[in-house]
Amino acid sequence: MARHLITSAIPYINGIKHLGNLVGSQLPADLYARYLRARGHEVLFLCATDEHGTPAELAAAKAGKPVAEYCAEMWEVQAKLADGFRLSFDHFGRSSSTQNHKLTQHFAGVLADQGLIREVSETQMYSKADGRYLPDRYIEGTCPNCGFDSARGDQCDNCTKQLDPVDLINPHSTISGSTDLEMRETKHLYLRQSEMKDQLEEWIDTREGWPVLTTSIAKKWLNDGDGLQDRGITRDLDWGVPVQRGDEPWPGMEGKVFYVWFDAPIEYIACSQEWVEAGKGDDWARWWRTDKGADDVRYTQFMGKDNVPFHTLSFPVTILGSGEPWKLVDYIKSFNYLNYDGGQFSTSRGRGVFMDQALEILPADYWRWWLLSHAPESSDSEFTWENFQISVNKDLADVLGNFASRVTKFCRSKFSEAVPEAGTYGPDEDRLIAALTDKLREYEQHMEAIEVRKSAAALRAAWVLGNEYLQEVAPWTTFKTDPDKAAAQIRLALNLIRLYAVVSAPFIPDASKQLLDAMQTDDRNWPDDVPSALAALPAGHAFAVPEVTFRKITDDERAEWQERFAGVRE
Ligand SMILES: [Zn+2]
């Protein structure tokens, strides 16, 4: 038994996430957490919402709500959806928690003590009417390149030219509409990442077996161009963690907050403190402090490829640079993008399926299975309705669901609603047991290596073995000439249903529970030894025929959904 700390990249607060976001971090992290728990390991699985920064302020303003209230509401929405998808977080925290405020201020203080923070004077647009500095997205004006009249301070959405606020013609504040703007000098803190370059490179080089996707992105940022750059960690905003040097004020930094990229990953640690405060655990330090027992913890992070630079460089600078004994990540599992039906998911155009919509049309397991078995690991992958329909109807309905239904219904009609006693196993059963043992060991290896698609393929192959066995031995035919032999075949098949429920639980937890309930057992012991696992339900053990485990998707539904989610609203 080992100890596993698992974190999923934390979703931003400003809206409901689409299925591409889900499969890029939270869902595979949940698969891994569930698998490790099923194998008897001690697991702490954490996720949270990322709540600070300009986009949260803008979204709150659009919703006509104070930003704190908006974030609290959206946290509820995201927590409920996570629950709907059966994401088994030990805690779902918030980066706006007091724990994260304190810890972020602590890290800034110790990094300053270590000489890793410098102050920089910059000029920034100030709005007298609003009484504040304006981030780039709060300034709009006419694009000097194409004449578009709503170009933002950082970019023109019409011609895509990158802009500085001073480039805009007739710039105005998007908060008040005021044109009374001026450039003013303001001071910011920079994290001296460049100082840590060699130490980072040495650390990355000693990480064993990291995916190429992860290390290649990290190396690119370390070495391309002028190498790793220092980065601003403060903003002139109201909403965020107030800049302090530990518990002390930071002279000259009054009214400023830490930049969201600095405080968001620190929430991984703060989340474990929230977990303790919520009464779900009693010691966060044994997961995070190597001087307090975290030495034997294996820490795995899950994220989309766009988050890799922050997790391989910026957050490790915070951890390593502090000089304190914090736990560093052991393995980073990163994902490419999931595309949607020949294009990209688009929040603004309502293109693709979002988490709330998905659960409105089908239960979580249908999505979990498709998304995980098509996870964008080695390259981007694509959701199409045709593929989704085929995968659900074939893998889930025909192979797994139909097996459970056929076996239990046959037993009920020819024997009773209890495991039959007669007959003994022969060469057919030995062959199945040997093949199944090989396939399960392969499944475990892929799961331990976090090879998500290969794990799904091995699991599907294990389901297929049961179907092939049933086709070959055909108990409905055997029964006519040798009912005892048919009884033995069905006894094995009923036990296979329990075995499938146990090993499939990380992928499809609800179906797993439904099948275990039908088999009237709580025995979730992992089939380390297949022959004894196939004797777990003894002769005479009562069961019930399950309701339909997975239904098929019709062609009409597929066509309807394809049209509904094609994206029209602007
Ligand atoms: Zn333009």
Side-chain angles (χ1 to χ4, degrees), residues 143 145-148 156 158-161:
C143 173
N145 188 46
C146 73
F148 179 59
C156 173
N158 188 50
C159 69
T160 74
K161 189 179 167 60

Side-chain angles (χ1 to χ4, degrees), residues 306-323:
D306 51 329
N307 272 319
V308 170
F310 294 104
H311 290 77
T312 51
L313 306 169
S314 304
F315 188 42
V317 165
T318 301
I319 297 284
L320 285 167
S322 74

Side-chain angles (χ1 to χ4, degrees), residues 159-173:
C159 69
T160 74
K161 189 179 167 60
Q162 304 272 313
L163 300 167
D164 267 325
V166 284
D167 299 335
L168 294 171
I169 301 159
N170 302 322
H172 64 269
S173 158

Side-chain angles (χ1 to χ4, degrees), residues 225-242:
D226 297 330
L228 187 62
Q229 298 297 301
D230 294 349
R231 219 179 137 100
I233 59 165
T234 52
R235 295 303 249 179
D236 290 293
L237 286 181
D238 293 329
W239 175 242
V241 180

